[in-house]
Amino acid sequence: MNRGVNHLAIFTGVPEFDEPRYVGLPNIGDRQRFFSLLEGALDRRWLSNGGPLVQEFERRVADQAGVRHCVATCNATVALELAIRAADLTGEVIVPAFTFPATVHAVRWMGLKPVLSDVDPETGNIDPAQVAALITPRTSAVIGVHLWGRPCAVDELAAIADRHGLTLLFDAAQAFGARHAGRPVGGFGAAEVFSFHATKLVNAFEGGAVVTDDSGLAARVRAMQNFGIVGEDEVAHTGTNAKMSEAAAAMGLASLAGMETFVDRNRRNYLRYREALAGIAGLSVPPPDPSVEHAYHYVVARIDADAFGLCRDDLMAVLRAENIMAKRYFYPGCHRMAPYHADGDAFPHTEALAESLLTLPTGAAVDDRDIDRIAALIRVAAAHAPAVAAHFAKATGPVPQPSSSGPGQ
């Protein structure tokens, strides 16, 4: 590809891609395996209520996470709510400001007060020093988030929780298959929560799971996700309907079978982006952390507007005009969202990350040539930053956003 600035779609050019390239387009594994599993469920006429496919999925996830218990659920948000309720949390719960709103919503939905914490400026993960400073007599728990599949500071957070008698939970929605110090994510804290949403590395259409080594907590979660029922005629807890269906478990099992392939593709995509974008002033793709192992589920670039010549949102608009549906990440930070708006509170690291990060298309639907074409467009935008910036200075209206109902979210 050899395009000048006038060939960009924001000017007079034709978009680089005929079809959109999304962040998080679902991985589709072995279709025949999925259909075979689904046919078995139909033949058995056991479609919900902890059928054999859900049971097998739970065993496989528990094995992957290195824990004794897995309770599969209809989605990860409800899984986190169940973990909070089963852990009998009260009062205040410390959560990162730089996270998907579901993490914070789950705390509020359970009637507790989320206390937002700033994050590490490099990793984006919750900062243990900030956590320690926020603890009050009303604090009952800390929820860490493993951002982009990179485990957060689990040892430091565990030490703080132990010192203050707090429950430690982890939102591991993006971290299935990751490891910290050789141990799989899933066995840290009192419990961890996985997401098997359609856009995750392993998906069950929609799904989630609570994983833990605590037998009592697992039993409470299992009862609560089935209306609190513990026997045919006995309800022991205030519960809800959070069960995973057999159809979702069939997709989950088929997806698990393709996990190694998905991880390999993501790793190669990440390395290809690192190589293709190397040397661009003001743009960096964070290097891998040698102390952890993750699945490279996201490719995240950080834009220094002064050095790059364009702000992140202008670059995103350039790419979207080319049918490259790059996305801002956890923008604008939970502390700027209406339910948790906090004008007086300072979250400088969260705000810096929210203003500078851009996620790029990856996954099984993206190949090496796609990545090279995307990188080449970014280089054109960087090389002609003044002209591109002048174009957007004249433009009016918001940056275009993809539909929330689109395939890549």
mmCIF file of all heavy atoms in Angstrom, residues 126-177:
data_model
loop_
_atom_site.group_PDB
_atom_site.id
_atom_site.type_symbol
_atom_site.label_atom_id
_atom_site.label_comp_id
_atom_site.label_asym_id
_atom_site.label_seq_id
_atom_site.Cartn_x
_atom_site.Cartn_y
_atom_site.Cartn_z
ATOM 1 N N ILE A 126 -5.322 -1.794 38.938
ATOM 2 C CA ILE A 126 -5.554 -1.123 40.204
ATOM 3 C C ILE A 126 -4.238 -1.007 40.983
ATOM 4 O O ILE A 126 -3.427 -1.936 41.022
ATOM 5 C CB ILE A 126 -6.638 -1.862 41.022
ATOM 6 C CG1 ILE A 126 -7.099 -1.029 42.219
ATOM 7 C CG2 ILE A 126 -6.194 -3.257 41.409
ATOM 8 C CD1 ILE A 126 -8.364 -1.583 42.874
ATOM 9 N N ASP A 127 -4.022 0.152 41.607
ATOM 10 C CA ASP A 127 -2.772 0.472 42.294
ATOM 11 C C ASP A 127 -2.888 0.124 43.781
ATOM 12 O O ASP A 127 -3.696 0.727 44.491
ATOM 13 C CB ASP A 127 -2.479 1.963 42.124
ATOM 14 C CG ASP A 127 -1.173 2.398 42.762
ATOM 15 O OD1 ASP A 127 -0.515 1.563 43.416
ATOM 16 O OD2 ASP A 127 -0.809 3.579 42.606
ATOM 17 N N PRO A 128 -2.118 -0.848 44.277
ATOM 18 C CA PRO A 128 -2.225 -1.229 45.686
ATOM 19 C C PRO A 128 -2.014 -0.071 46.654
ATOM 20 O O PRO A 128 -2.667 -0.016 47.703
ATOM 21 C CB PRO A 128 -1.129 -2.293 45.846
ATOM 22 C CG PRO A 128 -0.967 -2.874 44.485
ATOM 23 C CD PRO A 128 -1.176 -1.727 43.550
ATOM 24 N N ALA A 129 -1.121 0.859 46.325
ATOM 25 C CA ALA A 129 -0.893 2.003 47.216
ATOM 26 C C ALA A 129 -2.143 2.865 47.327
ATOM 27 O O ALA A 129 -2.486 3.356 48.418
ATOM 28 C CB ALA A 129 0.286 2.831 46.711
ATOM 29 N N GLN A 130 -2.835 3.054 46.209
ATOM 30 C CA GLN A 130 -4.092 3.814 46.222
ATOM 31 C C GLN A 130 -5.148 3.068 47.034
ATOM 32 O O GLN A 130 -5.914 3.667 47.784
ATOM 33 C CB GLN A 130 -4.583 4.033 44.791
ATOM 34 C CG GLN A 130 -3.680 4.877 43.936
ATOM 35 C CD GLN A 130 -3.944 6.364 44.098
ATOM 36 O OE1 GLN A 130 -4.967 6.766 44.637
ATOM 37 N NE2 GLN A 130 -3.008 7.170 43.639
ATOM 38 N N VAL A 131 -5.192 1.756 46.876
ATOM 39 C CA VAL A 131 -6.153 0.945 47.628
ATOM 40 C C VAL A 131 -5.933 1.121 49.122
ATOM 41 O O VAL A 131 -6.874 1.358 49.894
ATOM 42 C CB VAL A 131 -6.039 -0.541 47.230
ATOM 43 C CG1 VAL A 131 -6.828 -1.427 48.186
ATOM 44 C CG2 VAL A 131 -6.526 -0.746 45.800
ATOM 45 N N ALA A 132 -4.692 0.988 49.563
ATOM 46 C CA ALA A 132 -4.380 1.086 50.988
ATOM 47 C C ALA A 132 -4.825 2.430 51.557
ATOM 48 O O ALA A 132 -5.303 2.506 52.703
ATOM 49 C CB ALA A 132 -2.886 0.875 51.203
ATOM 50 N N ALA A 133 -4.700 3.488 50.754
ATOM 51 C CA ALA A 133 -5.062 4.822 51.234
ATOM 52 C C ALA A 133 -6.572 5.032 51.337
ATOM 53 O O ALA A 133 -7.024 5.961 52.014
ATOM 54 C CB ALA A 133 -4.456 5.876 50.309
ATOM 55 N N LEU A 134 -7.342 4.193 50.670
ATOM 56 C CA LEU A 134 -8.805 4.373 50.634
ATOM 57 C C LEU A 134 -9.539 3.542 51.684
ATOM 58 O O LEU A 134 -10.750 3.690 51.852
ATOM 59 C CB LEU A 134 -9.340 3.996 49.246
ATOM 60 C CG LEU A 134 -8.946 4.930 48.096
ATOM 61 C CD1 LEU A 134 -9.320 4.309 46.755
ATOM 62 C CD2 LEU A 134 -9.605 6.294 48.256
ATOM 63 N N ILE A 135 -8.840 2.686 52.389
ATOM 64 C CA ILE A 135 -9.501 1.801 53.351
ATOM 65 C C ILE A 135 -10.006 2.593 54.550
ATOM 66 O O ILE A 135 -9.302 3.439 55.106
ATOM 67 C CB ILE A 135 -8.527 0.695 53.808
ATOM 68 C CG1 ILE A 135 -8.191 -0.218 52.626
ATOM 69 C CG2 ILE A 135 -9.120 -0.125 54.950
ATOM 70 C CD1 ILE A 135 -7.085 -1.214 52.913
ATOM 71 N N THR A 136 -11.262 2.328 54.910
ATOM 72 C CA THR A 136 -11.891 2.942 56.082
ATOM 73 C C THR A 136 -12.513 1.826 56.923
ATOM 74 O O THR A 136 -12.552 0.669 56.495
ATOM 75 C CB THR A 136 -12.994 3.933 55.668
ATOM 76 O OG1 THR A 136 -14.139 3.191 55.197
ATOM 77 C CG2 THR A 136 -12.531 4.880 54.568
ATOM 78 N N PRO A 137 -13.040 2.157 58.104
ATOM 79 C CA PRO A 137 -13.732 1.125 58.896
ATOM 80 C C PRO A 137 -14.936 0.512 58.182
ATOM 81 O O PRO A 137 -15.407 -0.558 58.568
ATOM 82 C CB PRO A 137 -14.158 1.890 60.151
ATOM 83 C CG PRO A 137 -13.173 3.001 60.280
ATOM 84 C CD PRO A 137 -12.869 3.413 58.873
ATOM 85 N N ARG A 138 -15.433 1.176 57.144
ATOM 86 C CA ARG A 138 -16.599 0.668 56.415
ATOM 87 C C ARG A 138 -16.213 -0.250 55.251
ATOM 88 O O ARG A 138 -17.087 -0.856 54.632
ATOM 89 C CB ARG A 138 -17.434 1.837 55.888
ATOM 90 C CG ARG A 138 -18.024 2.709 56.987
ATOM 91 C CD ARG A 138 -18.794 3.891 56.428
ATOM 92 N NE ARG A 138 -17.913 4.776 55.662
ATOM 93 C CZ ARG A 138 -17.113 5.692 56.210
ATOM 94 N NH1 ARG A 138 -17.050 5.841 57.523
ATOM 95 N NH2 ARG A 138 -16.353 6.470 55.445
ATOM 96 N N THR A 139 -14.926 -0.340 54.951
ATOM 97 C CA THR A 139 -14.471 -1.157 53.814
ATOM 98 C C THR A 139 -14.588 -2.638 54.145
ATOM 99 O O THR A 139 -14.103 -3.086 55.185
ATOM 100 C CB THR A 139 -13.005 -0.824 53.464
ATOM 101 O OG1 THR A 139 -12.871 0.583 53.260
ATOM 102 C CG2 THR A 139 -12.584 -1.566 52.199
ATOM 103 N N SER A 140 -15.205 -3.381 53.246
ATOM 104 C CA SER A 140 -15.315 -4.833 53.451
ATOM 105 C C SER A 140 -14.532 -5.634 52.422
ATOM 106 O O SER A 140 -14.233 -6.802 52.656
ATOM 107 C CB SER A 140 -16.783 -5.279 53.413
ATOM 108 O OG SER A 140 -17.335 -5.100 52.114
ATOM 109 N N ALA A 141 -14.208 -5.016 51.276
ATOM 110 C CA ALA A 141 -13.599 -5.807 50.208
ATOM 111 C C ALA A 141 -12.876 -4.926 49.199
ATOM 112 O O ALA A 141 -13.096 -3.711 49.120
ATOM 113 C CB ALA A 141 -14.655 -6.641 49.495
ATOM 114 N N VAL A 142 -12.042 -5.577 48.415
ATOM 115 C CA VAL A 142 -11.374 -4.985 47.257
ATOM 116 C C VAL A 142 -11.649 -5.886 46.066
ATOM 117 O O VAL A 142 -11.590 -7.124 46.175
ATOM 118 C CB VAL A 142 -9.847 -4.876 47.473
ATOM 119 C CG1 VAL A 142 -9.163 -4.310 46.228
ATOM 120 C CG2 VAL A 142 -9.529 -4.034 48.699
ATOM 121 N N ILE A 143 -11.982 -5.276 44.934
ATOM 122 C CA ILE A 143 -12.129 -6.032 43.686
ATOM 123 C C ILE A 143 -11.049 -5.554 42.726
ATOM 124 O O ILE A 143 -11.057 -4.403 42.284
ATOM 125 C CB ILE A 143 -13.515 -5.858 43.052
ATOM 126 C CG1 ILE A 143 -14.609 -6.369 43.999
ATOM 127 C CG2 ILE A 143 -13.582 -6.601 41.717
ATOM 128 C CD1 ILE A 143 -16.016 -6.176 43.476
ATOM 129 N N GLY A 144 -10.112 -6.440 42.418
ATOM 130 C CA GLY A 144 -9.096 -6.127 41.416
ATOM 131 C C GLY A 144 -9.573 -6.554 40.039
ATOM 132 O O GLY A 144 -10.404 -7.461 39.902
ATOM 133 N N VAL A 145 -9.056 -5.885 39.023
ATOM 134 C CA VAL A 145 -9.395 -6.218 37.629
ATOM 135 C C VAL A 145 -8.107 -6.530 36.875
ATOM 136 O O VAL A 145 -7.157 -5.741 36.918
ATOM 137 C CB VAL A 145 -10.128 -5.050 36.939
ATOM 138 C CG1 VAL A 145 -10.415 -5.382 35.474
ATOM 139 C CG2 VAL A 145 -11.423 -4.715 37.670
ATOM 140 N N HIS A 146 -8.083 -7.669 36.217
ATOM 141 C CA HIS A 146 -6.934 -8.049 35.397
ATOM 142 C C HIS A 146 -7.116 -7.425 34.006
ATOM 143 O O HIS A 146 -7.794 -7.995 33.142
ATOM 144 C CB HIS A 146 -6.827 -9.567 35.278
ATOM 145 C CG HIS A 146 -6.764 -10.290 36.584
ATOM 146 N ND1 HIS A 146 -5.819 -10.010 37.545
ATOM 147 C CD2 HIS A 146 -7.517 -11.298 37.085
ATOM 148 C CE1 HIS A 146 -5.986 -10.826 38.579
ATOM 149 N NE2 HIS A 146 -7.018 -11.600 38.326
ATOM 150 N N LEU A 147 -6.517 -6.285 33.800
ATOM 151 C CA LEU A 147 -6.777 -5.501 32.594
ATOM 152 C C LEU A 147 -6.094 -6.110 31.373
ATOM 153 O O LEU A 147 -4.911 -6.444 31.415
ATOM 154 C CB LEU A 147 -6.281 -4.070 32.815
ATOM 155 C CG LEU A 147 -6.687 -3.049 31.778
ATOM 156 C CD1 LEU A 147 -8.201 -2.850 31.780
ATOM 157 C CD2 LEU A 147 -5.998 -1.716 32.047
ATOM 158 N N TRP A 148 -6.858 -6.226 30.266
ATOM 159 C CA TRP A 148 -6.380 -6.764 28.992
ATOM 160 C C TRP A 148 -5.844 -8.183 29.133
ATOM 161 O O TRP A 148 -5.074 -8.655 28.300
ATOM 162 C CB TRP A 148 -5.284 -5.879 28.383
ATOM 163 C CG TRP A 148 -5.633 -4.446 28.309
ATOM 164 C CD1 TRP A 148 -6.835 -3.916 27.923
ATOM 165 C CD2 TRP A 148 -4.797 -3.334 28.640
ATOM 166 N NE1 TRP A 148 -6.795 -2.546 28.004
ATOM 167 C CE2 TRP A 148 -5.567 -2.155 28.426
ATOM 168 C CE3 TRP A 148 -3.486 -3.212 29.081
ATOM 169 C CZ2 TRP A 148 -5.064 -0.884 28.649
ATOM 170 C CZ3 TRP A 148 -2.981 -1.943 29.297
ATOM 171 C CH2 TRP A 148 -3.756 -0.802 29.093
ATOM 172 N N GLY A 149 -6.221 -8.887 30.206
ATOM 173 C CA GLY A 149 -5.685 -10.211 30.439
ATOM 174 C C GLY A 149 -4.365 -10.215 31.179
ATOM 175 O O GLY A 149 -3.780 -11.276 31.407
ATOM 176 N N ARG A 150 -3.883 -9.052 31.575
ATOM 177 C CA ARG A 150 -2.632 -8.963 32.331
ATOM 178 C C ARG A 150 -2.968 -8.979 33.817
ATOM 179 O O ARG A 150 -3.612 -8.055 34.321
ATOM 180 C CB ARG A 150 -1.905 -7.672 31.981
ATOM 181 C CG ARG A 150 -0.621 -7.459 32.767
ATOM 182 C CD ARG A 150 0.053 -6.181 32.330
ATOM 183 N NE ARG A 150 1.319 -5.981 33.021
ATOM 184 C CZ ARG A 150 2.244 -5.113 32.615
ATOM 185 N NH1 ARG A 150 2.035 -4.370 31.537
ATOM 186 N NH2 ARG A 150 3.358 -4.977 33.291
ATOM 187 N N PRO A 151 -2.561 -10.014 34.541
ATOM 188 C CA PRO A 151 -2.907 -10.071 35.968
ATOM 189 C C PRO A 151 -2.436 -8.840 36.720
ATOM 190 O O PRO A 151 -1.354 -8.310 36.468
ATOM 191 C CB PRO A 151 -2.173 -11.332 36.450
ATOM 192 C CG PRO A 151 -2.061 -12.182 35.227
ATOM 193 C CD PRO A 151 -1.836 -11.220 34.093
ATOM 194 N N CYS A 152 -3.275 -8.364 37.632
ATOM 195 C CA CYS A 152 -2.901 -7.212 38.439
ATOM 196 C C CYS A 152 -2.011 -7.661 39.596
ATOM 197 O O CYS A 152 -1.603 -8.824 39.667
ATOM 198 C CB CYS A 152 -4.133 -6.447 38.916
ATOM 199 S SG CYS A 152 -5.295 -7.387 39.895
ATOM 200 N N ALA A 153 -1.707 -6.749 40.488
ATOM 201 C CA ALA A 153 -0.739 -7.014 41.563
ATOM 202 C C ALA A 153 -1.387 -7.867 42.647
ATOM 203 O O ALA A 153 -1.675 -7.410 43.755
ATOM 204 C CB ALA A 153 -0.228 -5.693 42.135
ATOM 205 N N VAL A 154 -1.590 -9.149 42.344
ATOM 206 C CA VAL A 154 -2.364 -10.016 43.235
ATOM 207 C C VAL A 154 -1.687 -10.203 44.590
ATOM 208 O O VAL A 154 -2.360 -10.245 45.630
ATOM 209 C CB VAL A 154 -2.640 -11.383 42.574
ATOM 210 C CG1 VAL A 154 -3.552 -11.216 41.374
ATOM 211 C CG2 VAL A 154 -1.357 -12.081 42.158
ATOM 212 N N ASP A 155 -0.375 -10.306 44.618
ATOM 213 C CA ASP A 155 0.313 -10.540 45.891
ATOM 214 C C ASP A 155 0.210 -9.323 46.805
ATOM 215 O O ASP A 155 -0.061 -9.454 48.008
ATOM 216 C CB ASP A 155 1.781 -10.898 45.641
ATOM 217 C CG ASP A 155 1.941 -12.188 44.855
ATOM 218 O OD1 ASP A 155 1.093 -13.087 45.026
ATOM 219 O OD2 ASP A 155 2.895 -12.287 44.066
ATOM 220 N N GLU A 156 0.416 -8.140 46.245
ATOM 221 C CA GLU A 156 0.321 -6.919 47.041
ATOM 222 C C GLU A 156 -1.098 -6.693 47.543
ATOM 223 O O GLU A 156 -1.311 -6.297 48.700
ATOM 224 C CB GLU A 156 0.798 -5.700 46.228
ATOM 225 C CG GLU A 156 2.280 -5.711 45.900
ATOM 226 C CD GLU A 156 2.591 -6.464 44.610
ATOM 227 O OE1 GLU A 156 1.748 -7.281 44.174
ATOM 228 O OE2 GLU A 156 3.689 -6.235 44.054
ATOM 229 N N LEU A 157 -2.073 -6.944 46.677
ATOM 230 C CA LEU A 157 -3.469 -6.776 47.092
ATOM 231 C C LEU A 157 -3.844 -7.799 48.161
ATOM 232 O O LEU A 157 -4.569 -7.475 49.113
ATOM 233 C CB LEU A 157 -4.395 -6.913 45.888
ATOM 234 C CG LEU A 157 -4.315 -5.789 44.851
ATOM 235 C CD1 LEU A 157 -5.130 -6.143 43.615
ATOM 236 C CD2 LEU A 157 -4.798 -4.463 45.438
ATOM 237 N N ALA A 158 -3.354 -9.030 48.022
ATOM 238 C CA ALA A 158 -3.638 -10.053 49.036
ATOM 239 C C ALA A 158 -3.047 -9.661 50.383
ATOM 240 O O ALA A 158 -3.674 -9.869 51.437
ATOM 241 C CB ALA A 158 -3.089 -11.397 48.579
ATOM 242 N N ALA A 159 -1.855 -9.089 50.372
ATOM 243 C CA ALA A 159 -1.227 -8.667 51.630
ATOM 244 C C ALA A 159 -2.040 -7.565 52.297
ATOM 245 O O ALA A 159 -2.236 -7.568 53.528
ATOM 246 C CB ALA A 159 0.201 -8.199 51.367
ATOM 247 N N ILE A 160 -2.532 -6.616 51.504
ATOM 248 C CA ILE A 160 -3.359 -5.535 52.056
ATOM 249 C C ILE A 160 -4.656 -6.097 52.620
ATOM 250 O O ILE A 160 -5.094 -5.731 53.723
ATOM 251 C CB ILE A 160 -3.646 -4.481 50.964
ATOM 252 C CG1 ILE A 160 -2.352 -3.726 50.598
ATOM 253 C CG2 ILE A 160 -4.726 -3.497 51.416
ATOM 254 C CD1 ILE A 160 -2.492 -2.860 49.371
ATOM 255 N N ALA A 161 -5.303 -6.989 51.861
ATOM 256 C CA ALA A 161 -6.564 -7.578 52.317
ATOM 257 C C ALA A 161 -6.363 -8.353 53.610
ATOM 258 O O ALA A 161 -7.177 -8.252 54.546
ATOM 259 C CB ALA A 161 -7.138 -8.478 51.228
ATOM 260 N N ASP A 162 -5.288 -9.123 53.683
ATOM 261 C CA ASP A 162 -5.023 -9.896 54.901
ATOM 262 C C ASP A 162 -4.775 -8.976 56.094
ATOM 263 O O ASP A 162 -5.258 -9.222 57.206
ATOM 264 C CB ASP A 162 -3.815 -10.808 54.689
ATOM 265 C CG ASP A 162 -4.116 -11.970 53.761
ATOM 266 O OD1 ASP A 162 -5.314 -12.235 53.517
ATOM 267 O OD2 ASP A 162 -3.162 -12.610 53.273
ATOM 268 N N ARG A 163 -4.026 -7.922 55.858
ATOM 269 C CA ARG A 163 -3.671 -7.009 56.953
ATOM 270 C C ARG A 163 -4.901 -6.314 57.528
ATOM 271 O O ARG A 163 -4.966 -6.042 58.730
ATOM 272 C CB ARG A 163 -2.656 -5.982 56.437
ATOM 273 C CG ARG A 163 -2.071 -5.085 57.514
ATOM 274 C CD ARG A 163 -0.784 -4.434 57.045
ATOM 275 N NE ARG A 163 -0.941 -3.586 55.887
ATOM 276 C CZ ARG A 163 -0.448 -3.837 54.677
ATOM 277 N NH1 ARG A 163 0.229 -4.965 54.461
ATOM 278 N NH2 ARG A 163 -0.626 -3.002 53.676
ATOM 279 N N HIS A 164 -5.880 -6.052 56.683
ATOM 280 C CA HIS A 164 -7.058 -5.299 57.133
ATOM 281 C C HIS A 164 -8.295 -6.172 57.285
ATOM 282 O O HIS A 164 -9.388 -5.648 57.565
ATOM 283 C CB HIS A 164 -7.347 -4.155 56.157
ATOM 284 C CG HIS A 164 -6.294 -3.093 56.135
ATOM 285 N ND1 HIS A 164 -6.288 -2.036 57.016
ATOM 286 C CD2 HIS A 164 -5.203 -2.940 55.346
ATOM 287 C CE1 HIS A 164 -5.244 -1.264 56.767
ATOM 288 N NE2 HIS A 164 -4.569 -1.790 55.753
ATOM 289 N N GLY A 165 -8.159 -7.476 57.098
ATOM 290 C CA GLY A 165 -9.303 -8.369 57.237
ATOM 291 C C GLY A 165 -10.367 -8.161 56.172
ATOM 292 O O GLY A 165 -11.570 -8.256 56.465
ATOM 293 N N LEU A 166 -9.952 -7.916 54.936
ATOM 294 C CA LEU A 166 -10.884 -7.642 53.846
ATOM 295 C C LEU A 166 -11.012 -8.860 52.928
ATOM 296 O O LEU A 166 -10.080 -9.651 52.789
ATOM 297 C CB LEU A 166 -10.401 -6.447 53.018
ATOM 298 C CG LEU A 166 -10.111 -5.152 53.779
ATOM 299 C CD1 LEU A 166 -9.569 -4.096 52.821
ATOM 300 C CD2 LEU A 166 -11.371 -4.651 54.481
ATOM 301 N N THR A 167 -12.152 -8.971 52.277
ATOM 302 C CA THR A 167 -12.341 -9.976 51.233
ATOM 303 C C THR A 167 -11.721 -9.452 49.944
ATOM 304 O O THR A 167 -11.869 -8.275 49.603
ATOM 305 C CB THR A 167 -13.833 -10.257 51.021
ATOM 306 O OG1 THR A 167 -14.389 -10.775 52.242
ATOM 307 C CG2 THR A 167 -14.047 -11.274 49.916
ATOM 308 N N LEU A 168 -11.043 -10.324 49.220
ATOM 309 C CA LEU A 168 -10.431 -9.951 47.944
ATOM 310 C C LEU A 168 -11.072 -10.772 46.827
ATOM 311 O O LEU A 168 -11.028 -12.003 46.833
ATOM 312 C CB LEU A 168 -8.927 -10.203 47.988
ATOM 313 C CG LEU A 168 -8.129 -9.882 46.722
ATOM 314 C CD1 LEU A 168 -8.258 -8.405 46.347
ATOM 315 C CD2 LEU A 168 -6.654 -10.263 46.912
ATOM 316 N N LEU A 169 -11.692 -10.074 45.880
ATOM 317 C CA LEU A 169 -12.266 -10.696 44.692
ATOM 318 C C LEU A 169 -11.557 -10.150 43.462
ATOM 319 O O LEU A 169 -10.966 -9.066 43.508
ATOM 320 C CB LEU A 169 -13.761 -10.396 44.588
ATOM 321 C CG LEU A 169 -14.656 -10.843 45.743
ATOM 322 C CD1 LEU A 169 -16.079 -10.340 45.529
ATOM 323 C CD2 LEU A 169 -14.643 -12.363 45.898
ATOM 324 N N PHE A 170 -11.657 -10.867 42.363
ATOM 325 C CA PHE A 170 -11.064 -10.398 41.111
ATOM 326 C C PHE A 170 -12.064 -10.509 39.969
ATOM 327 O O PHE A 170 -12.716 -11.537 39.786
ATOM 328 C CB PHE A 170 -9.806 -11.198 40.760
ATOM 329 C CG PHE A 170 -8.639 -10.908 41.648
ATOM 330 C CD1 PHE A 170 -8.324 -11.762 42.691
ATOM 331 C CD2 PHE A 170 -7.856 -9.772 41.455
ATOM 332 C CE1 PHE A 170 -7.255 -11.497 43.522
ATOM 333 C CE2 PHE A 170 -6.786 -9.496 42.278
ATOM 334 C CZ PHE A 170 -6.478 -10.362 43.322
ATOM 335 N N ASP A 171 -12.171 -9.418 39.217
ATOM 336 C CA ASP A 171 -12.883 -9.418 37.948
ATOM 337 C C ASP A 171 -11.856 -9.858 36.901
ATOM 338 O O ASP A 171 -10.991 -9.081 36.493
ATOM 339 C CB ASP A 171 -13.412 -8.010 37.658
ATOM 340 C CG ASP A 171 -14.149 -7.903 36.338
ATOM 341 O OD1 ASP A 171 -13.942 -8.770 35.475
ATOM 342 O OD2 ASP A 171 -14.901 -6.922 36.159
ATOM 343 N N ALA A 172 -11.954 -11.116 36.507
ATOM 344 C CA ALA A 172 -11.021 -11.705 35.539
ATOM 345 C C ALA A 172 -11.686 -11.875 34.181
ATOM 346 O O ALA A 172 -11.380 -12.808 33.434
ATOM 347 C CB ALA A 172 -10.512 -13.053 36.062
ATOM 348 N N ALA A 173 -12.611 -10.957 33.845
ATOM 349 C CA ALA A 173 -13.388 -11.079 32.608
ATOM 350 C C ALA A 173 -12.495 -11.208 31.382
ATOM 351 O O ALA A 173 -12.839 -11.913 30.428
ATOM 352 C CB ALA A 173 -14.323 -9.887 32.465
ATOM 353 N N GLN A 174 -11.342 -10.519 31.399
ATOM 354 C CA GLN A 174 -10.461 -10.521 30.230
ATOM 355 C C GLN A 174 -9.271 -11.458 30.388
ATOM 356 O O GLN A 174 -8.360 -11.437 29.554
ATOM 357 C CB GLN A 174 -9.941 -9.096 29.997
ATOM 358 C CG GLN A 174 -11.026 -8.071 29.765
ATOM 359 C CD GLN A 174 -10.460 -6.669 29.608
ATOM 360 O OE1 GLN A 174 -9.280 -6.427 29.820
ATOM 361 N NE2 GLN A 174 -11.309 -5.734 29.230
ATOM 362 N N ALA A 175 -9.257 -12.260 31.434
ATOM 363 C CA ALA A 175 -8.016 -12.956 31.789
ATOM 364 C C ALA A 175 -8.113 -14.469 31.789
ATOM 365 O O ALA A 175 -7.260 -15.134 32.374
ATOM 366 C CB ALA A 175 -7.546 -12.469 33.161
ATOM 367 N N PHE A 176 -9.116 -15.040 31.155
ATOM 368 C CA PHE A 176 -9.187 -16.499 31.103
ATOM 369 C C PHE A 176 -7.963 -17.029 30.351
ATOM 370 O O PHE A 176 -7.653 -16.598 29.238
ATOM 371 C CB PHE A 176 -10.468 -16.954 30.404
ATOM 372 C CG PHE A 176 -10.665 -18.440 30.425
ATOM 373 C CD1 PHE A 176 -10.888 -19.104 31.615
ATOM 374 C CD2 PHE A 176 -10.624 -19.173 29.253
ATOM 375 C CE1 PHE A 176 -11.072 -20.490 31.641
ATOM 376 C CE2 PHE A 176 -10.811 -20.543 29.258
ATOM 377 C CZ PHE A 176 -11.032 -21.200 30.460
ATOM 378 N N GLY A 177 -7.249 -17.955 30.974
ATOM 379 C CA GLY A 177 -6.043 -18.506 30.370
ATOM 380 C C GLY A 177 -4.763 -17.807 30.766
ATOM 381 O O GLY A 177 -3.673 -18.271 30.428
#
